[in-house]
Amino acid sequence: MGRWSREVGACKAAALLYNPTPMPELTLNGRKISFKPGQSILQAALDAQVEIPHYCYHESLSVVANCRICLAEVWSINPRTSKLEYLGKLVPTCQQAAAEGMVVYTDSPKAVANQKAVMEYLLINHPVDCAICDQAGECHLQDYSYEYGRSESRFEEAKIKNPKKDVGPNILLYSDRCIMCTRCVRFTREITQTNELMIDGRGSHESIDVFPGMALDNELASNVIDLCPVGALLDKDFLFKQRVWFLKKTPSIDGITSSGDNISVEHNEGRVYRIKPRFCADVNKWWITDEVRYGWKFAHSEDRITLPSINRADGTQETFSKDNPRGAFDAAYAQVDAGLRARSSKRLAVLLSPMLSCEDTFSLVRLALSIDSNALIGLGPVPVVGADKTISGFVIRAEKAPNARGARRVANAILASKGASGGIVEFEAFVHAVADSAIGSVITTGNYPSAWTTPALVAALRGKFIVAIDTLPNALTSVADVVLPGATWLEKAGSFENATGRLQSFEQAIELVEFARSEAQIGMDLAAVRAAKDPMRFSADCVRKEIAKYAGCESFASALYQPPARTPVDGDMVLVEL
Ligand code: SF4
Ligand code: FES
């Protein structure tokens, strides 16, 4: 082969490399869209962000094509004649494979007539009680009725009435509103494989029910509430609490287990009303456990510590008025500073909770080392319940704390940068070490959803100067010299490292509950008091840049996982921006 032909060959190879085979295309309502081989017409349309109405189709479930709203007029190339031919009848786009050169109409007179007929049929027995339905505002029946339905019903007979059923600890089934899409039944068959739900009866008397003697109470049960496209399966906890159009949605990360599940915190006027899953292909896909869905309640507990308090040596407790929270913090911080200075000849110990963010951890470790370069840094107890459990690829984590790994990583990075001989110590070793008389003062952090202290820890801290930063009262806050109100993850921005080592940031969803302050802010405040400087306001971005210096990476944000760009699908939310 001559030089010229070799070069041409190389160019052709390069062209093949840089001009990969173009994606196949079809034409949908006059617009060309590309698709991946194997996709259905509906999947191709959703990826191209072209809406085709659909109820029974869901990306995670088998295709049953029973709701019939997605039907389209389809023209396909006949391989024998190479001519475009009509398939002869309307076909379900959720089931029909997309093919090169296909021409699809969901806006032709036939397709539109079908959409109107399906909507009219679905509404025959529907109570049309949108005014009192919890799903109003996020109901596909309501939306499609407006977009694709008839303006009036021709049905004059009496509607069949179906009862409201209590199908599980967290779920109510309003059978009247069900459109028999069977998403919920397929979820319990195909995803959880617990088979609690079934289809009972036939024809217009068909209804969803739990099998006799069963309850819809598996670990992932409440995902059927999100899957239900109408107001048939509703969340007991959210029922009649709030109209959905008042809710603001903040992208966040599970703050009570080590799963790192991507969640959406839905809130209004400083109160969380519900938590929903946020799609993340690599972590939780479309799902969260009921534990994560309902585990945020402690943030609004009546018992929340929201102001500092001081326990005097004579046994009296000094509490502060809500009228002057700033004065309360000034007094408490002064007491902390004086107590730490009085024991400066002894060693300081700091217990970092695995419930805290990396940013909180950073602020508190830096405070500790600014007071005592030899400070003992320990990790709070990491609750573990049973063993990890995998259900259809979804992992329910046994570890019930969001950031044990992040706390270790950040604390160790700072300790190493300061030339400390050891790293962070685990809880058991900390309890043992802190009992030593060489330890004079201890700063503890909690922020657990439930009681977390152990008698051994409380006993080990006896006689020390104790500063307890926490959200709920416990055995330690009742004996601590100073108690400072910490903030749950819902009230602050930060980042967690999950069980697989994935670092993810989250945003502040709600305002701080009353006068609580983030642990990062408290650390910065106490450092400012000690240095007699003006306090600085906590910013997660600024703290991340600081962490980067210690952690030795170009930027802490670069160590945080960046979600891959993907086409939003139905129900997607804005991903966390870093
Ligand atoms: S209850 Fe909801 S998800 Fe289940 S079949 Fe009825 S409409 Fe579909
Ligand atoms: S979405 Fe295609 S038939 Fe239901």
Side-chain angles (χ1 to χ4, degrees), residues 263-284:
I263 57 170
S264 166
V265 180
E266 303 198 359
H267 54 96
N268 184 26
E269 296 183 342
R271 259 204 112 71
V272 175
Y273 283 92
R274 65 182 182 183
I275 278 181
K276 292 220 167 220
R278 190 162 50 88
F279 179 82
C280 177
D282 297 331
V283 183
N284 54 304

Side-chain angles (χ1 to χ4, degrees), residues 42 53-57 65-71 92-95:
L42 179 59
H54 58 281
Y55 285 121
C56 65
Y57 171 78
N66 67 0
C67 76
R68 314 309 282 179
I69 188 102
C70 75
L71 267 51
T93 56
C94 60
Q95 202 170 42

Side-chain angles (χ1 to χ4, degrees), residues 11 28 55 83 106 118 183 185 231 234 281 322 327 427 435 476 481 493 510 541 562 575-576:
C11 285
L28 175 58
Y55 285 121
K83 287 193 180 145
T106 60
V118 170
R183 278 185 181 194
V185 178
L234 293 180
K322 289 185 179 178
F427 185 62
L476 208 52
D481 295 273
I510 54 170
D541 287 343
Q562 302 278 348
L575 293 163
V576 181

